[in-house]
Amino acid sequence: MTSDAVPAHAPLELENFLPYRLSILSNTVSQSIAEEYTGRFQLSMTEWRVMAVLARFADLSAREVAERTRMDKVAVSRALARLVEAGRVDRSIHDGDKRRSVLKLSEAGWAIHDEVAPLAREHERELLARLDVAEREQLNRILDKLMSP
Amino acid sequence: MTSDAVPAHAPLELENFLPYRLSILSNTVSQSIAEEYTGRFQLSMTEWRVMAVLARFADLSAREVAERTRMDKVAVSRALARLVEAGRVDRSIHDGDKRRSVLKLSEAGWAIHDEVAPLAREHERELLARLDVAEREQLNRILDKLMSP
DNA sequence: TGCAAATGGTTACAGGTGAAACTATAAATC
DNA sequence: GATTTATAGTTTCACCTGTAACCATTTGCA
């Protein structure tokens, strides 16, 4: 008989499983922001991330953009190709190292940035509005701990 | 002169921008778990999610799996096709509705589940070990608030 | 009953993605 | 200074993804 040999299995409760919860939340938030700019500016999420980094740190190389965005260097290369093609990013070659590119937002890139950045900020504001001041501090501290090396 | 007409621009500080931090953390965590099973079991992340849901709730339809995993119905359809093909999920047809499928893990599916689930749990345990008890409670409460409808 | 609308699921298409291979340049080593 | 090794960036390949169109079945309703 097998009646006393049935294994327990112990399935995950996805709804309480932290990695799953983080994934759902992150996707929901990122997608709702992306909806605002993908249609309006023909801008993919990876492209926007590259632009946001170049807005904050000018004259980066492609590798540095990849490090800052934590994106794959191939993804960055392709996003940059589209952004340069669209005239949103200016690419030149590094003075002392002909392998490196030197990247910065163009006028047109800044114009888009200055429209998208407030939209993104507004989404963050709405999200944080669900939390009180103490919870926001807690969240920041917790994320710091979870993301530390 | 333009010296008093330079616009502020106000780029996002990605490193303090909540949606971005969530995205980085979520991707890091999910990928480190996925590394454990993609190579060993030829199992994609979407397939694992489908299996985890079917482990917890048997006899779901594909649409119900999509709802529970919050995945696109097309993604679910394709993951199921692969899982059924690999003999990891049994698919039959609903009694009173010939459109619906009725899905459950097979023996082989359960065997994989019983290896992967502990790996996933161990990763969550390691992640949560960075937090004290109070912080864990705070995180759960905060995620509930952020994810509520 | 008959027919339009809704639903479950799959397929086609048009991208996007990472791993690995590749090119060009620079740095290190001898 | 020549040769090996490392680095920046692109291209190729094989695969994954979402949207829209599609088929089959069921439901709603006249």
Side-chain angles (χ1 to χ4, degrees), chain B residues 62-63 73 77 91 99 101:
Chain B
R63 187 186 57 73
K73 71 172 181 168
S77 170
R91 171 160 53 188
R99 295 170 308 177
S101 42

Coordinates of all heavy atoms in Angstrom, one line a residue, chain B residues 62-63 73 77 91 99 101, chain C residues 6-12:
Chain B
A62 N -5.9 27.1 -18.4 CA -4.7 28.0 -18.8 C -5.0 29.5 -18.5 O -4.1 30.2 -18.0 CB -4.5 27.9 -20.3
R63 N -6.2 29.9 -18.6 CA -6.6 31.3 -18.2 C -6.3 31.5 -16.8 O -5.8 32.5 -16.3 CB -8.0 31.6 -18.6 CG -8.4 33.0 -18.4 CD -9.9 33.2 -18.7 NE -10.7 32.4 -17.8 CZ -10.9 32.6 -16.5 NH1 -10.3 33.6 -15.9 NH2 -11.7 31.9 -15.8
K73 N -1.5 35.6 -21.5 CA -2.0 34.3 -21.8 C -1.3 33.6 -22.9 O -1.2 32.3 -23.0 CB -3.5 34.4 -22.2 CG -3.8 35.0 -23.5 CD -5.3 34.9 -23.9 CE -5.5 35.6 -25.2 NZ -6.9 35.3 -25.8
S77 N 0.3 29.9 -22.7 CA 0.0 28.9 -23.7 C 1.3 28.3 -24.2 O 1.4 27.0 -24.3 CB -0.7 29.6 -24.9 OG -0.8 28.7 -25.9
R91 N -2.4 17.5 -19.6 CA -3.5 18.4 -20.0 C -4.6 17.5 -20.5 O -4.5 16.7 -21.3 CB -3.0 19.3 -21.1 CG -4.1 20.1 -21.8 CD -3.6 21.3 -22.5 NE -2.5 21.0 -23.5 CZ -1.8 21.9 -24.1 NH1 -2.1 23.2 -23.9 NH2 -0.9 21.6 -25.0
R99 N -13.7 24.1 -24.6 CA -12.6 25.1 -24.8 C -11.5 25.0 -23.7 O -10.3 25.1 -24.0 CB -13.2 26.5 -24.8 CG -14.1 26.7 -25.9 CD -14.8 28.1 -25.7 NE -15.5 28.1 -24.3 CZ -16.1 29.2 -23.9 NH1 -16.2 30.3 -24.6 NH2 -16.6 29.1 -22.7
S101 N -8.9 23.8 -20.9 CA -8.1 22.7 -20.6 C -8.0 22.5 -19.0 O -8.3 23.4 -18.3 CB -6.7 22.9 -21.1 OG -6.2 24.2 -20.9
Chain C
dA6 P -19.4 41.5 -26.5 OP1 -19.6 42.5 -25.4 OP2 -18.4 41.8 -27.6 O5' -19.0 40.1 -25.9 C5' -19.8 39.5 -24.9 C4' -19.2 38.2 -24.4 O4' -19.2 37.3 -25.5 C3' -17.8 38.4 -23.9 O3' -17.7 37.7 -22.7 C2' -17.0 37.7 -25.0 C1' -18.0 36.6 -25.5 N9 -17.8 36.2 -26.9 C8 -17.6 37.0 -28.0 N7 -17.5 36.2 -29.1 C5 -17.5 34.9 -28.7 C6 -17.5 33.7 -29.4 N6 -17.3 33.6 -30.7 N1 -17.5 32.6 -28.6 C2 -17.7 32.7 -27.3 N3 -17.8 33.8 -26.6 C4 -17.7 34.9 -27.3
dT7 P -16.3 37.8 -21.8 OP1 -16.7 37.8 -20.4 OP2 -15.5 38.8 -22.4 O5' -15.7 36.3 -22.1 C5' -16.5 35.2 -21.8 C4' -15.7 34.0 -22.2 O4' -15.7 33.8 -23.6 C3' -14.2 34.0 -21.8 O3' -13.9 32.8 -21.1 C2' -13.5 34.1 -23.1 C1' -14.5 33.4 -24.0 N1 -14.4 33.7 -25.5 C2 -14.3 32.7 -26.4 O2 -14.4 31.5 -26.0 N3 -14.3 33.0 -27.7 C4 -14.2 34.3 -28.2 O4 -14.1 34.5 -29.4 C5 -14.2 35.4 -27.2 C7 -14.1 36.8 -27.6 C6 -14.3 35.0 -25.9
dG8 P -12.5 32.6 -20.4 OP1 -12.7 32.0 -19.0 OP2 -11.7 33.8 -20.5 O5' -11.9 31.5 -21.3 C5' -12.5 30.2 -21.2 C4' -11.6 29.2 -22.1 O4' -11.7 29.6 -23.4 C3' -10.1 29.3 -21.7 O3' -9.6 27.9 -21.7 C2' -9.5 30.1 -22.9 C1' -10.5 29.8 -24.0 N9 -10.6 30.9 -25.0 C8 -10.8 32.2 -24.7 N7 -10.9 33.0 -25.7 C5 -10.8 32.1 -26.8 C6 -10.8 32.3 -28.2 O6 -11.0 33.4 -28.8 N1 -10.7 31.1 -28.9 C2 -10.5 29.9 -28.4 N2 -10.4 28.9 -29.2 N3 -10.5 29.7 -27.1 C4 -10.6 30.8 -26.3
dG9 P -8.1 27.7 -21.3 OP1 -8.0 26.3 -20.8 OP2 -7.6 28.8 -20.4 O5' -7.4 27.8 -22.7 C5' -7.6 26.8 -23.7 C4' -7.0 27.2 -25.0 O4' -7.6 28.4 -25.4 C3' -5.5 27.4 -25.0 O3' -4.9 26.2 -25.6 C2' -5.3 28.6 -25.8 C1' -6.7 28.9 -26.4 N9 -7.0 30.3 -26.6 C8 -7.2 31.3 -25.6 N7 -7.4 32.5 -26.1 C5 -7.4 32.3 -27.4 C6 -7.7 33.2 -28.5 O6 -7.9 34.4 -28.4 N1 -7.6 32.6 -29.8 C2 -7.3 31.3 -29.9 N2 -7.3 30.8 -31.2 N3 -7.1 30.4 -29.0 C4 -7.2 31.0 -27.8
dT10 P -3.3 26.2 -25.9 OP1 -3.0 24.8 -25.9 OP2 -2.7 27.2 -25.0 O5' -3.3 26.8 -27.4 C5' -4.0 26.1 -28.4 C4' -3.7 26.7 -29.8 O4' -4.2 28.1 -29.8 C3' -2.3 26.8 -30.1 O3' -2.2 26.2 -31.5 C2' -1.9 28.3 -30.1 C1' -3.3 28.9 -30.4 N1 -3.5 30.3 -29.9 C2 -3.8 31.3 -30.7 O2 -3.8 31.2 -31.9 N3 -4.0 32.5 -30.1 C4 -4.0 32.8 -28.7 O4 -4.2 33.9 -28.3 C5 -3.7 31.7 -27.9 C7 -3.6 31.8 -26.4 C6 -3.5 30.5 -28.5
dT11 P -0.8 26.1 -32.2 OP1 -0.8 24.9 -33.0 OP2 0.3 26.3 -31.2 O5' -0.7 27.4 -33.2 C5' -1.8 27.6 -34.0 C4' -1.6 28.8 -34.9 O4' -1.9 30.0 -34.2 C3' -0.2 29.0 -35.4 O3' -0.2 29.3 -36.8 C2' 0.4 30.0 -34.6 C1' -0.8 30.9 -34.3 N1 -0.7 31.7 -33.1 C2 -1.1 33.0 -33.1 O2 -1.4 33.6 -34.1 N3 -1.1 33.7 -31.9 C4 -0.7 33.2 -30.7 O4 -0.7 33.8 -29.7 C5 -0.3 31.8 -30.7 C7 0.1 31.1 -29.4 C6 -0.4 31.1 -31.9
dA12 P 1.1 29.5 -37.7 OP1 0.8 28.8 -39.0 OP2 2.3 29.1 -36.9 O5' 1.2 31.1 -38.0 C5' 0.0 31.8 -38.1 C4' 0.3 33.3 -38.5 O4' 0.3 34.1 -37.4 C3' 1.7 33.5 -39.2 O3' 1.6 34.5 -40.1 C2' 2.6 33.8 -38.0 C1' 1.7 34.6 -37.1 N9 1.9 34.4 -35.6 C8 2.2 33.3 -35.0 N7 2.3 33.4 -33.7 C5 2.0 34.7 -33.5 C6 1.8 35.5 -32.3 N6 2.1 35.0 -31.1 N1 1.5 36.8 -32.5 C2 1.3 37.3 -33.7 N3 1.3 36.6 -34.9 C4 1.7 35.3 -34.7

